[in-house]
Amino acid sequence: MKGLFSYDSPLGQVLNFIGDLFLLNIVFIICCIPVITIGPAQSGLYNAMRVLQDREDDSSPLKAFFRGFANGFISISVTWTLFLVFDLILFYTMAMCFDYADTGLFIHWAVPLVGLVLSIILHSVITVFHSQFQCTIGQLIRNGFLMLISHPLCSLAVTALTWAPVIMLFLMPNTFLQLSPLFITVYFSIAFMFGVIVMKKPFKQLIDEFNSLEEDEKTETEEN
């Protein structure tokens, strides 16, 4: 019986894994409270989920979270905040379109809606990309667009997992309140864990392309 609940037993490992999910979810929510730190918090949680899924990596998922949170903090914070401001402008524009729909003096509401959806997708792709590669603000935005174009289904899946609670808050507030204990305790850890799985293949292809380019450059240098 004692061996059943030992740290190295299958049950002990499962309980430890669940405990890590709960802890990381709560730490993530706390780090999101200042709003402008949501981007670094998302990158940190993605980093922690990669460590948690890697059986060969025995480092602390909590340390991995704060390592991902701190790495490139300024670039991802500024990028995420810029997109948030852009989202709010598009949302306000869309609301104004509905108010002036009968006058014919304003653009159709579908235009800012499409822009808003694309911006939200880029939000999600940029943070998961930043957790894997350290980039400048310009590189983050450019690589986010490239990832969206080259892997649209994966980008949509990551977006749906990331923003489901926010969408539910606006469309189904009563359901959101009923599920709020789930969001507080474990949802984001599970959602970001699936996000890491979804983006694993696109990132592998990207890393392979980088390695291939480096090998080509090295070969050209040796030939010269």
Side-chain angles (χ1 to χ4, degrees):
M1 192 69 175
K2 183 178 179 180
L4 180 64
F5 291 96
S6 66
Y7 182 83
D8 294 329
S9 68
L11 179 58
Q13 291 179 358
V14 170
L15 293 176
N16 188 60
F17 180 79
I18 294 174
D20 285 333
L21 291 180
F22 275 85
L23 177 62
L24 290 168
N25 199 90
I26 293 172
V27 171
F28 168 76
I29 291 175
I30 293 174
C31 290
C32 287
I33 292 176
V35 180
I36 61 173
T37 58
I38 293 178
Q42 289 179 343
S43 295
L45 190 55
Y46 277 121
N47 196 48
M49 288 301 106
R50 272 198 302 273
V51 169
L52 202 58
Q53 292 180 56
D54 190 351
R55 296 182 179 180
E56 298 180 356
D57 192 340
D58 58 354
S59 58
S60 168
L62 187 60
K63 290 182 179 179
F65 174 89
F66 285 111
R67 186 166 60 247
F69 182 84
N71 287 340
F73 180 87
I74 298 296
S75 60
I76 188 60
S77 295
V78 172
T79 306
W80 200 94
T81 303
L82 288 173
F83 271 99
L84 177 61
V85 172
F86 187 57
D87 289 345
L88 293 174
I89 293 173
L90 289 172
F91 185 81
Y92 176 77
T93 303
M94 186 173 62
M96 293 294 292
C97 288
F98 283 111
D99 291 339
Y100 292 92
D102 297 333
T103 65
L105 299 176
F106 218 70
I107 60 176
H108 196 273
W109 57 266
V111 176
L113 176 61
V114 171
L116 181 61
V117 171
L118 290 175
S119 179
I120 290 174
I121 294 174
L122 282 173
H123 255 111
S124 307
V125 175
I126 283 173
T127 51
V128 69
F129 193 93
H130 179 266
S131 69
Q132 187 79 23
F133 306 99
Q134 297 300 312
C135 303
T136 63
I137 295 175
Q139 290 172 335
L140 279 175
I141 297 175
R142 183 190 63 202
N143 293 331
F145 272 110
L146 293 175
M147 185 64 71
L148 172 58
I149 295 171
S150 58
H151 300 280
L153 294 180
C154 292
S155 301
L156 287 172
V158 169
T159 303
L161 290 168
T162 304
W163 296 93
V166 178
I167 296 172
M168 186 177 294
L169 174 62
F170 282 98
L171 300 182
M172 299 178 289
N174 292 332
T175 304
F176 175 84
L177 292 176
Q178 293 172 359
L179 295 178
S180 57
L182 176 66
F183 299 140
I184 294 172
T185 56
V186 74
Y187 172 81
F188 291 103
S189 291
I190 295 176
F192 280 49
M193 180 174 62
F194 280 106
V196 170
I197 295 173
V198 167
M199 298 300 289
K200 188 174 183 179
K201 184 176 180 180
F203 281 146
K204 185 180 183 304
Q205 293 176 352
L206 191 59
I207 292 172
D208 290 341
E209 290 177 3
F210 285 157
N211 292 335
S212 177
L213 288 174
E214 289 180 355
E215 290 178 0
D216 292 341
E217 291 178 356
K218 184 177 180 181
T219 302
E220 290 178 1
T221 302
E222 291 177 351
E223 290 177 353
N224 295 332

